[in-house]
């Protein structure tokens, strides 16, 4: 059966889930945030290896195949996203907006469907490498099939590609046919970089939500639930006294944190994350 183009004006939002790291609670929250912050008509499709517990409004499809005998090892990128780059993508056609499962939507997503042309690849700006002008794959829009050459290149030498580019977002940015377009920098913000207060104000003031933000991303180990409780990382203390005491205990610090780095890495509970990150 041939695949039909989406109805005129339909916004297609997608996510991907595999294994046990996230699962239904994240998928269901993400759907709810999308539904509250988008003008219909829209579809929300999750490509997943497990459908139990996912709310019925979510259109579930199987994980797209990826003919790779061995995925990259000890590589920091999320290379399983390459499953989405094929010539086809389940039953979908046309432009799709990809969202990471652990981001927080705080304003309308409609503008993300208005930048550029439907056949453009449009990426959020990577905030950690401003001089390299990289894109961010926590949120990006692409037309189904446009990234097929990237998938073929990755499949031919997965470990070589991962070693050369390190992160999948660098690979996508550098190899998109005709180059990517970018959403305005102020739309997609990095929680640690753009919202967390500078030291020592972070000891006294909760992270802020800039008025320009539409989506806040949570890369590198800090999840929304930790921001809500005021924990800088999974093992972090959720109060200032506990945080200060942990400075003297290496087992309670992040592996890469020195004593002084740990002192700086503290956040107070962030209520606005809880207000938005919910069903």
């Amino acid at each position: 059966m041939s695949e039909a183009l989406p109805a005129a004006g339909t916004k297609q939002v997608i996510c991907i889930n595999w294994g046990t790291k996230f699962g239904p609670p994240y998928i269901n929250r993400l759907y709810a945030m999308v539904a509250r912050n988008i003008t219909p008509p829209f579809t929300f499709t999750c490509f997943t290896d497990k459908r139990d517990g996912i709310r019925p409004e979510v259109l579930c499809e199987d994980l797209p195949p990826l003919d790779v005998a061995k995925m990259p090892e000890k590589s920091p990128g999320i290379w399983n996203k390459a499953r989405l780059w094929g010539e086809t993508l389940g039953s979908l056609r046309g432009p799709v907006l990809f969202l990471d499962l652990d981001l927080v939507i705080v304003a309308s997503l409609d503008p993300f469907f208005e930048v550029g042309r439907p056949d453009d690849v449009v990426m959020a700006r990577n905030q950690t490498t401003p001089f390299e002008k990289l894109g961010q794959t926590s949120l990006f829009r692409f037309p189904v099939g446009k990234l097929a050459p990237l998938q073929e290149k990755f499949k031919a030498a997965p470990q070589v590609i991962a070693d050369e580019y390190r992160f999948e977002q660098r690979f996508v940015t550098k190899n998109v046919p005709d180059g990517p377009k970018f959403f305005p920098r102020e739309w997609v913000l990095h929680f640690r970089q753009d919202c967390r207060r500078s030291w020592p104000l972070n000891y006294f003031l909760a992270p802020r939500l800039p008025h320009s933000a539409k989506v806040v991303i949570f890369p590198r180990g800090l999840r929304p639930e930790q921001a809500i409780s005021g924990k800088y990382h999974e093992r972090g203390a959720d109060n200032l006294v506990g945080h200060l005491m942990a400075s003297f205990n290496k087992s309670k610090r992040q592996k890469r944190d020195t004593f002084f780095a740990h002192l700086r890495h503290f956040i107070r509970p962030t209520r606005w994350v809880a207000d938005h990150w919910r069903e």
Side-chain angles (χ1 to χ4, degrees), residues 56-72:
E57 300 95 332
V58 176
L59 306 175
C60 291
E61 300 210 25
D62 293 338
L63 286 175
L66 185 63
D67 186 19
V68 170
K70 189 176 182 181
M71 291 292 284

Side-chain angles (χ1 to χ4, degrees), residues 205-207 226-231 238 266-272:
L205 299 175
Q226 292 159 7
I228 292 169
S229 62
K231 297 173 67 173
D238 59 3
F266 176 77
I267 57 171
R268 297 190 66 81
T270 312
R271 180 64 202 175
W272 59 260

Side-chain angles (χ1 to χ4, degrees), residues 13-17 27 30 44-47 84 98-99 101:
V13 180
I14 67 169
C15 65
I16 188 170
N17 174 73
I27 298 166
L30 183 61
F44 182 96
T45 303
C46 181
F47 294 92
L84 304 172
F98 172 82
L99 303 177
L101 289 173

Side-chain angles (χ1 to χ4, degrees), residues 8-253:
T10 298
K11 305 174 182 74
Q12 299 182 123
V13 180
I14 67 169
C15 65
I16 188 170
N17 174 73
W18 66 89
T20 59
K21 184 176 180 179
F22 294 108
Y26 281 81
I27 298 166
N28 293 340
R29 284 192 195 97
L30 183 61
Y31 171 83
M33 288 188 290
V34 169
R36 287 194 296 271
N37 290 284
I38 201 167
T39 303
F42 76 97
T43 62
F44 182 96
T45 303
C46 181
F47 294 92
T48 181
D49 57 0
K50 188 176 182 181
R51 306 185 182 202
D52 294 346
I54 298 176
R55 57 192 293 171
E57 300 95 332
V58 176
L59 306 175
C60 291
E61 300 210 25
D62 293 338
L63 286 175
L66 185 63
D67 186 19
V68 170
K70 189 176 182 181
M71 291 292 284
E73 296 179 334
K74 299 180 180 179
S75 300
I78 312 298
W79 292 99
N80 245 324
K81 290 181 181 179
R83 292 179 175 275
L84 304 172
W85 305 343
E87 196 68 49
T88 61
L89 184 57
S91 62
L92 302 180
R93 295 183 66 185
V96 296
L97 180 68
F98 172 82
L99 303 177
D100 267 354
L101 289 173
D102 59 346
L103 55 70
V104 175
I105 302 169
V106 299
S108 175
L109 293 175
D110 292 350
F112 291 102
F113 293 90
E114 298 165 358
V115 173
R117 303 187 307 264
D119 61 344
D120 286 333
V121 175
V122 191
M123 306 180 75
R125 288 282 187 184
N126 187 310
Q127 300 88 341
T128 60
T129 58
F131 298 109
E132 195 177 356
K133 297 182 179 179
L134 286 183
Q136 173 64 258
T137 58
S138 291
L139 180 154
F140 73 119
R141 199 188 78 218
F142 64 95
V144 172
K146 180 109 180 219
L147 300 180
L150 278 66
Q151 190 185 71
E152 292 304 312
K153 186 175 181 179
F154 173 72
K155 285 162 51 177
Q159 191 64 58
V160 172
I161 294 295
D163 290 343
E164 178 180 355
Y165 292 93
R166 297 193 73 236
F167 295 96
E168 85 289 341
Q169 55 208 20
R170 179 176 285 113
F171 177 62
V172 173
T173 306
K174 302 295 186 182
N175 290 275
V176 165
D178 306 319
K181 304 290 192 302
F182 293 97
F183 297 117
R185 162 70 175 84
E186 64 271 16
W187 287 5
V188 182
L189 301 185
H190 186 298
F191 180 79
R192 279 184 172 138
Q193 290 191 352
D194 298 314
C195 303
R196 182 171 62 103
R197 308 283 184 167
S198 300
W199 185 85
L201 290 179
N202 57 317
Y203 281 12
F204 308 102
L205 299 175
R208 66 192 184 98
L209 177 60
H211 292 301
S212 67
K214 300 184 184 302
V215 172
V216 178
I217 61 173
F218 288 76
R220 298 191 179 184
L222 195 161
R223 295 189 185 182
E225 61 264 42
Q226 292 159 7
I228 292 169
S229 62
K231 297 173 67 173
Y232 189 81
H233 59 89
E234 188 174 3
R235 299 195 312 274
D238 59 3
N239 62 83
L240 183 54
V241 173
H243 174 79
L244 294 174
M245 292 180 64
S247 301
F248 300 93
N249 187 336
K250 287 185 177 181
S251 68
K252 294 185 178 181
R253 304 199 309 245

